[in-house]
Amino acid sequence: MATTVVPTIPAEWTLADLYERLGGIPLERIRVVPPLGTATEEDVLQSKRRFGRICELIDGVLVEKTMGWFESRLAVLIGHFIESFLDAHNLGVVAGADGPVRLFPGQVRIPDVGFVSWEHLPGRKLPSQPIPALAPDLAVEVLSKGNTEAEMQRKLRDYFTAGVRLVWYVDPRTQSARAYTAEDQCTEIGPDGSLSGGEVLPGFELPLAELFARAQRGEA
């Protein structure tokens, strides 16, 4: 027997309500197939094949994850630096921008980079599910032109509600970053500053100047 999917969007909502709930993102990022409010995790897994884009699941709605080529390179490099650090400090594992996680029912987010400590992987066993119920200890988002402030604030709330301990928002346009240890606790990091692992990755430091210089050199 087929399972009936119950919409998670209130029947009295208008598109304006949904637009506001999703943080005022460009409308072209909102997928209306399947019908709004009825999308599932299986739709997330099929989104790249069906639409050619990776989508997150927010309140039963598929929302395209925005990312440009240079933003993708920055994310890969951040993951590379963390992975290199983990070679010497075996604290956990890192995943990239194709790694969706279920923060809580109906909410699937895809950090550009996510670090998970061994503490949250019993027996140091990696999850076998394509979308594990797993909040990373560190979530990294490289901001793109299509991101809005309200969208990223909503994402912060989701991350910290789920138990994420540290979030980095990296802005390629200003070559700066923001490090959050709570939704309302932020450290601004200028171009001469460094991303710090804090209590999540003790001893990890990545100067933004080094990150951007390497990204622009085009060296692997």
Side-chain angles (χ1 to χ4, degrees), residues 70-92:
F70 186 67
E71 290 90 335
S72 177
R73 172 149 175 78
L74 285 172
V76 166
L77 283 173
I78 293 169
H80 161 76
F81 282 114
I82 295 176
E83 186 73 26
S84 297
F85 178 81
L86 295 175
D87 286 340
H89 306 81
N90 190 14
L91 300 174

Side-chain angles (χ1 to χ4, degrees), residues 79 120 136 157 195:
H120 295 121
R157 183 165 66 252
L195 293 169

Side-chain angles (χ1 to χ4, degrees), residues 63-213:
V63 177
E64 289 184 1
K65 185 171 170 63
T66 180
M67 174 69 81
W69 189 92
F70 186 67
E71 290 90 335
S72 177
R73 172 149 175 78
L74 285 172
V76 166
L77 283 173
I78 293 169
H80 161 76
F81 282 114
I82 295 176
E83 186 73 26
S84 297
F85 178 81
L86 295 175
D87 286 340
H89 306 81
N90 190 14
L91 300 174
V93 294
V94 65
D98 286 329
V101 289
R102 183 191 313 120
L103 297 183
F104 35 89
Q107 298 295 113
V108 174
R109 293 295 192 175
I110 310 175
D112 294 325
V113 181
F115 163 74
V116 183
S117 68
W118 291 129
E119 178 184 352
H120 295 121
L121 295 170
R124 299 194 174 188
K125 185 177 181 181
L126 300 184
S128 58
Q129 309 94 326
I131 304 179
L134 182 67
D137 292 82
L138 164 66
V140 183
E141 298 283 349
V142 181
L143 303 180
S144 297
K145 185 177 180 180
N147 290 131
T148 68
E149 188 65 29
E151 172 193 12
M152 301 313 292
Q153 195 62 39
R154 162 72 189 270
K155 186 170 283 193
L156 269 183
R157 183 165 66 252
D158 286 352
Y159 279 145
F160 285 110
T161 298
V164 175
R165 299 165 58 199
L166 178 63
V167 177
W168 294 339
Y169 282 175
V170 179
D171 191 341
R173 290 168 292 180
T174 59
Q175 298 192 7
S176 64
R178 286 175 283 169
Y180 293 86
T181 52
E183 186 180 351
D184 58 352
Q185 296 178 13
C186 172
T187 299
E188 300 280 351
I189 306 169
D192 295 328
S194 299
L195 293 169
S196 171
E199 296 180 357
V200 175
L201 287 168
F204 179 86
E205 296 285 337
L206 176 55
L208 290 179
E210 179 180 349
L211 171 65
F212 283 99

Side-chain angles (χ1 to χ4, degrees), residues 5 9 15 18 27-58 60-64:
V5 178
I9 296 176
L15 287 177
L18 177 63
L27 294 177
E28 59 266 23
R29 290 178 52 203
I30 302 173
R31 287 288 171 179
V32 297
V33 177
L36 296 173
T38 67
T40 66
E41 292 185 5
E42 182 60 29
D43 294 313
V44 172
L45 296 174
Q46 296 296 325
S47 62
K48 191 169 184 179
R49 179 185 62 81
R50 294 175 66 187
F51 310 125
R53 300 295 295 272
I54 296 173
C55 293
E56 295 181 312
L57 179 63
I58 308 172
V61 178
L62 288 182
V63 177
E64 289 184 1

